[in-house]
Amino acid sequence: MRFRLSGLAVLVLFIAVIIGRTLSYGPSGESAPRLEAPDAPAMSGEEIGRHLGEAIRFQTVTSKAGAPEAGEEQPWLDFHDWLAATYPAAHEAMTLEKVAGLTLLYQWEGSDPSLNPIILMAHQDVVPVNPGTEGDWDAPPFAGEIIDGILVGRGALDDKASLITLMEAAEGLTQSGFAPKRTVYFLFGHDEEVAGIGAKSAFALLEERGVTADMVLDEGMVTVANAPLTGGPLTIIGVAEKGYLTVELRVSGEGGHSSTPPRDNAVVRLSRALVALEENQFPSHLNEQPLKDFFRGMAPDMSFVIRMALANRWLLGSQVEKELAKLPTADALVRTTIAPTMLEGSTKENVLPQRASATVNFRIHPSDSVEKVLDHIRKVTRDIDGVEIIALDGFASEPSPVSSAKTQAFAALSAAASSSISPDAPIVPGLVLGATDARFSYGVSENVYRYMPALLHTDEIGGIHGTNEKVSLENLARMARAYTQIILLMDEAQ
């Protein structure tokens, strides 16, 4: 009887611990200071949509490093002339410097040199439209048409919406008589989609000049209207982005006729190497930043079951990771990802290749590094004969540092998001899975954030780089208002 009572007591205690941890799981006590967003001038979504539609018609398309090549710059140059004509007050108030040929660096000089500046970013270039898919769009992809309050076109979200609404904010503030105390830079890279040479050069120039910024803000995250884990709105402010590395795995072998193939030839050994990578994924970093605060921040809006699983990872951690692994986006949040993308072997079906190769792309979690990735590849392929590991030159980067979510800058972004985008959305720090021009900014600031102030459903987010990329006129008005508030809030901060 005593044994039964002891067992029951242990069970009750066990359940109490699980429930207690679940109920207490939520945002950490430490947070950024709370700010009240100021009023902003009224913004017309229709007028902004008309301007964005005109901007989309400039086909500033990049598809490979070094773009645009000599003789292909005219769309950018025409776009620059259009910006000057469309936003005359902003251009009168700011000085413009062109970097790396086509990147635009505006400086809106503040009256108080003791205040560190802020840098607001967007990019001019867009990705191509996949050949043959033009007819799948609701409107021609470079026409910038508005259909029932929705603007359709390549760059509607990525990223001319940010660029145009930033300029709308600057134009509106200038016309209202606002003159900043804190210097504001607008940095619009010309080749973000391929290499980011423009932004990299601009930040190198600012660093050389001794600029230290209190905030850098670029694209990256949004307010999601229907967040998967909560079902409701969720504002995600990117505080870090993943690194990038592409590796070629190369295996050599004897050529010859396919009628007399050797066992374990180059293609077979290459396949074994790819399978070894697939079966040996990088470890999860679910308990590390920024994911730790990301999940805790939205906990009050989660179902009890999901909240319980995350709060009790000491018990359910392996199951949580299995469930996250089923969703590519969720899995990418918690670990460095491995993506074989290109294969090369023989040039004919009856010829044995003398060399087989695979290109593998890695997106590196902030808790890992380029060297850790290379060590992992060496480790899992070391028992496979003849595998060469070649890190490809060109676009490669370490994961970014993780910026603090307790700064005045984070508070300003939060206040603008609550005021102009969604007052009911929890605000959480997040990890950007792709690459942005902001990765080059750490020489001038440690407060680097990635957030486009727009309220988007998951299907709208899916249109980025895809067919029917679109943005509502209502969102454009929200974005311009939020950017205005961000400038005003940071100008008031001491």
Side-chain angles (χ1 to χ4, degrees):
M1 183 66 174
R2 183 178 301 169
F3 176 77
R4 289 180 182 176
L5 288 175
S6 298
L8 180 60
V10 170
L11 178 61
V12 170
L13 179 61
F14 181 74
I15 293 172
V17 168
I18 291 176
I19 294 175
R21 289 177 63 92
T22 302
L23 295 177
S24 64
Y25 183 71
S28 61
E30 298 180 17
S31 61
R34 295 186 64 85
L35 300 177
E36 191 72 28
D39 291 334
M43 300 288 180
S44 167
E46 289 75 14
E47 182 178 2
I48 299 172
R50 179 172 59 82
H51 288 160
L52 179 56
E54 292 171 359
I56 285 171
R57 292 171 203 143
F58 298 100
Q59 297 190 32
T60 51
V61 177
T62 53
S63 59
K64 58 184 178 181
E69 296 179 353
E72 298 177 343
E73 309 96 335
Q74 200 58 48
W76 281 262
L77 297 174
D78 292 341
F79 182 47
H80 299 170
D81 290 342
W82 176 87
L83 284 171
T86 305
Y87 302 106
H91 279 76
E92 180 68 24
M94 299 187 288
T95 59
L96 170 60
E97 184 174 6
K98 290 192 178 183
V99 183
L102 297 170
T103 284
L104 304 179
L105 179 62
Y106 292 93
Q107 182 176 351
W108 195 356
E109 189 70 32
S111 60
D112 187 347
S114 70
L115 298 175
N116 289 334
I118 63 172
I119 302 173
L120 305 175
M121 300 176 63
H123 61 86
Q124 306 169 55
D125 61 322
V126 300
V127 298
V129 174
N130 288 328
T133 66
E134 294 87 351
D136 298 332
W137 288 66
D138 291 340
F142 289 102
E145 289 188 19
I146 298 172
I147 304 171
D148 297 329
I150 304 294
L151 189 150
V152 179
R154 176 60 81 226
L157 280 174
D158 188 15
D159 182 34
K160 285 182 176 174
S162 294
L163 193 156
I164 294 304
T165 51
L166 280 168
M167 291 303 295
E168 295 283 342
E171 186 77 3
L173 283 169
T174 305
Q175 290 178 346
S176 73
F178 171 77
K181 297 189 292 290
R182 183 189 301 274
T183 294
V184 181
Y185 288 97
F186 291 86
L187 173 54
F188 302 147
H190 72 272
D191 62 343
E192 188 269 353
E193 296 291 0
V194 287
I197 298 303
K200 183 177 182 180
S201 300
F203 278 115
L205 181 64
L206 292 173
E207 186 174 3
E208 182 182 307
R209 292 173 178 172
V211 172
T212 300
D214 270 5
M215 179 182 75
V216 173
L217 176 63
D218 199 2
E219 61 169 341
M221 292 298 194
V222 298
T223 298
V224 184
N226 54 335
L229 287 180
T230 65
L234 179 70
T235 293
I236 309 171
I237 298 173
V239 295
E241 69 178 57
K242 291 183 116 178
Y244 187 104
L245 176 68
T246 297
V247 166
E248 181 184 327
L249 300 183
R250 185 183 298 170
V251 181
S252 299
E254 295 182 13
H257 201 284
S258 65
S259 61
T260 55
R263 297 291 178 92
D264 208 28
N265 68 21
V267 172
V268 172
R269 282 181 283 139
L270 177 64
S271 300
R272 288 173 56 204
L274 293 176
V275 170
L277 284 172
E278 175 67 20
E279 293 180 346
N280 292 275
Q281 296 290 326
F282 285 84
S284 165
H285 298 293
L286 187 60
N287 295 325
E288 299 169 42
Q289 298 292 18
L291 276 303
K292 183 178 179 181
D293 283 349
F294 171 75
F295 286 113
R296 293 185 72 94
M298 70 177 85
D301 292 273
M302 292 176 179
S303 70
F304 183 83
V305 171
I306 295 176
R307 189 172 179 179
M308 179 179 68
L310 289 169
N312 294 278
R313 292 192 295 277
W314 60 278
L315 177 66
L316 302 170
S318 61
Q319 188 59 39
V320 170
E321 290 186 15
K322 286 179 182 178
E323 292 302 314
L324 291 175
K326 295 176 182 178
L327 303 171
T329 301
D331 195 44
L333 281 173
V334 301
R335 73 181 76 248
T336 294
T337 54
I338 305 168
T341 55
M342 301 169 68
L343 295 171
E344 185 177 355
S346 175
T347 57
K348 199 170 185 295
E349 80 277 0
N350 62 349
V351 176
L352 296 170
Q354 290 179 290
R355 188 176 77 182
S357 64
T359 300
V360 187
N361 181 247
F362 298 84
R363 300 300 177 107
I364 309 170
H365 190 277
S367 296
D368 293 324
S369 67
V370 169
E371 191 55 40
K372 281 186 179 180
V373 170
L374 293 172
D375 285 344
H376 181 81
I377 302 169
R378 296 183 193 109
K379 179 179 178 181
V380 302
T381 63
R382 64 188 174 191
D383 295 329
I384 304 170
D385 290 338
V387 176
E388 293 181 74
I389 302 165
I390 303 163
L392 298 184
D393 293 333
F395 180 59
S397 63
E398 294 283 357
S400 77
V402 179
S403 296
S404 173
K406 302 176 178 63
T407 63
Q408 191 87 6
F410 192 93
L413 299 177
S414 300
S418 293
S419 173
S420 293
I421 311 304
S422 177
D424 301 322
I427 298 170
V428 297
L431 174 63
V432 176
L433 304 182
T436 73
D437 274 344
R439 68 188 183 277
F440 302 117
S441 68
Y442 289 92
V444 302
S445 183
E446 62 182 18
N447 301 323
V448 182
Y449 303 102
R450 300 159 181 86
Y451 175 64
M452 173 193 284
L455 179 66
L456 302 177
H457 285 77
T458 51
D459 62 332
E460 293 175 286
I461 298 171
I464 296 174
H465 285 202
T467 297
N468 276 335
E469 185 177 349
K470 59 189 177 182
V471 63
S472 70
L473 302 187
E474 184 179 11
N475 257 323
L476 293 177
R478 288 189 186 110
M479 290 176 66
R481 186 172 188 269
Y483 281 132
T484 300
Q485 291 175 317
I486 290 166
I487 294 170
L488 293 173
L489 282 162
M490 290 305 295
D491 202 60
E492 293 168 1
Q494 299 301 314

